[in-house]
Amino acid sequence: AAAAAAAAAAAAPPFAAHSCSPSFVMSRTLALFDVDGTLTVPRKEADDVMKAFMRALKTKVTVGIVGGSDLVKISEQLGEGAEKEYDYLFAENGLVAFKHGELLAKQSLRAFLGEDKLKTFLNFVLHYVADLDIPIKRGTFIEFRAGMLNVSPIGRNCSQEERDEFERFDKEAGVRAKMVEVLREKFADYGLTYSIGGQISFDVFPQGWDKTYCLQFVEKDFDVIHFFGDKTYKGGNDHEIFESEKTIGHTVTSPEDTRKQVTEHILDKL
């Protein structure tokens, strides 16, 4: 383990090359990161190189995480106790918000919609998925989270290989995009937003509860907020926060690209 940690530290960019005064360490700059495709390969655990890079970055600027997944899934990728490891951790787009390991706030989709509307929506989604003609289906087509629903046409119980296969299939067939359009039209009066993320699913949440939701907890405390994410295109779950006038958005293509861009846009300017 010690050898692996040493190798990871050696592989990470040499932060010592960047001058950093104590005043900047305490400056009002926040580096905010998506998880899947940004800090990790989708649904995989962050590697030692990225973990070492993020630990070093925390000594330079304030660091926050904003993911669409719940805290359990984010912790599986970033490590147990991730909400304590980072200055801020925003699970479910910030609907479950932590600062230095302490819970700041928690929102409820059930309270927003009410049981009758929620049941009508869930029933429609399950019928729609049942009628879908796609190569394979597994289980857990809807995951009910505190502030959102996660809908997966193939089912979240699929293997990693099946995830990869569905992602390739969906790029051609547009299964998720078509389903989102149907739901958007059918439930136009529900005040919901649909956001495609990851490889196999999309999120459903009230309008305004996208990743910009987390900014209310930090916007008054920082002069500059950098956001790094991979799905910054329209319809992607990083789009709204990437486009927000409250952030400086950066589109990344992989964890390696994230490290490169953080170095270019933050570290090299210290």
Side-chain angles (χ1 to χ4, degrees):
F15 285 15
H18 304 278
S19 61
C20 184
S21 66
S23 61
F24 189 92
V25 173
M26 302 306 293
S27 75
R28 290 162 58 92
T29 298
L30 171 66
L32 195 56
F33 298 87
D34 167 50
V35 181
D36 263 7
T38 301
L39 298 180
T40 76
V41 174
R43 288 306 306 144
K44 295 292 184 67
E45 185 179 351
D47 63 24
D48 289 339
V49 175
M50 181 57 82
K51 288 178 179 177
F53 182 90
M54 295 297 282
R55 282 195 298 271
L57 181 63
K58 281 174 54 186
T59 69
K60 311 297 183 182
V61 295
T62 304
V63 175
I65 307 297
V66 54
S69 296
D70 58 25
L71 179 61
V72 171
K73 289 184 173 60
I74 291 176
S75 296
E76 288 172 357
Q77 293 179 265
L78 300 185
E80 195 67 34
E83 73 277 16
K84 299 183 180 71
E85 179 71 16
Y86 295 95
D87 301 301
Y88 292 90
L89 189 144
F90 302 113
E92 302 182 40
N93 294 350
L95 303 176
V96 181
F98 294 89
K99 179 179 181 180
H100 302 308
E102 298 293 325
L103 184 66
L104 282 178
K106 187 174 182 178
Q107 268 289 6
S108 168
L109 176 65
R110 187 180 342 180
F112 176 85
L113 281 180
E115 288 294 350
D116 289 342
K117 283 186 174 181
L118 183 58
K119 182 171 67 175
T120 299
F121 185 89
L122 294 174
N123 286 344
F124 183 88
V125 168
L126 290 171
H127 280 293
Y128 186 98
V129 170
D131 292 337
L132 268 180
D133 183 16
I134 57 178
I136 59 172
K137 293 180 185 177
R138 293 299 179 252
T140 311
F141 301 103
I142 301 175
E143 186 173 82
F144 191 92
R145 300 173 181 171
M148 67 173 69
L149 299 172
N150 180 263
V151 179
S152 175
I154 184 178
R156 297 194 63 89
N157 289 357
C158 60
S159 67
Q160 185 60 51
E161 182 181 357
E162 290 164 344
R163 279 174 169 269
D164 295 340
E165 290 175 1
F166 178 82
E167 183 179 31
R168 288 191 292 268
F169 174 77
D170 192 42
K171 284 180 179 177
E172 297 292 330
V175 175
R176 289 182 291 175
K178 290 173 184 175
M179 188 172 180
V180 163
E181 285 307 308
V182 170
L183 293 173
R184 198 172 269 138
E185 181 177 348
K186 174 73 175 178
F187 298 98
D189 60 336
Y190 273 34
L192 296 173
T193 294
Y194 306 84
S195 184
I196 297 173
Q199 295 177 287
I200 61 169
S201 64
F202 60 90
D203 295 326
V204 183
F205 45 83
Q207 291 171 4
W209 288 18
D210 52 65
K211 286 185 178 178
T212 60
Y213 188 89
C214 77
L215 296 178
Q216 65 184 289
F217 302 110
V218 295
E219 59 184 316
K220 294 180 181 178
D221 295 326
F222 298 94
D223 296 322
V224 179
I225 301 175
H226 290 272
F227 171 75
F228 299 85
D230 65 319
K231 290 183 169 57
T232 58
Y233 51 82
K234 189 171 184 180
N237 64 356
D238 296 324
H239 178 71
E240 291 85 0
I241 192 169
F242 173 80
E243 290 286 335
S244 172
E245 62 182 16
K246 299 175 182 177
T247 68
I248 299 172
H250 308 280
T251 303
V252 301
T253 59
S254 66
E256 295 77 16
D257 188 44
T258 297
R259 292 194 293 271
K260 177 183 176 183
Q261 292 207 40
V262 170
T263 301
E264 176 185 349
H265 296 295
I266 298 179
L267 296 174
D268 282 345
K269 297 181 178 179
L270 298 184

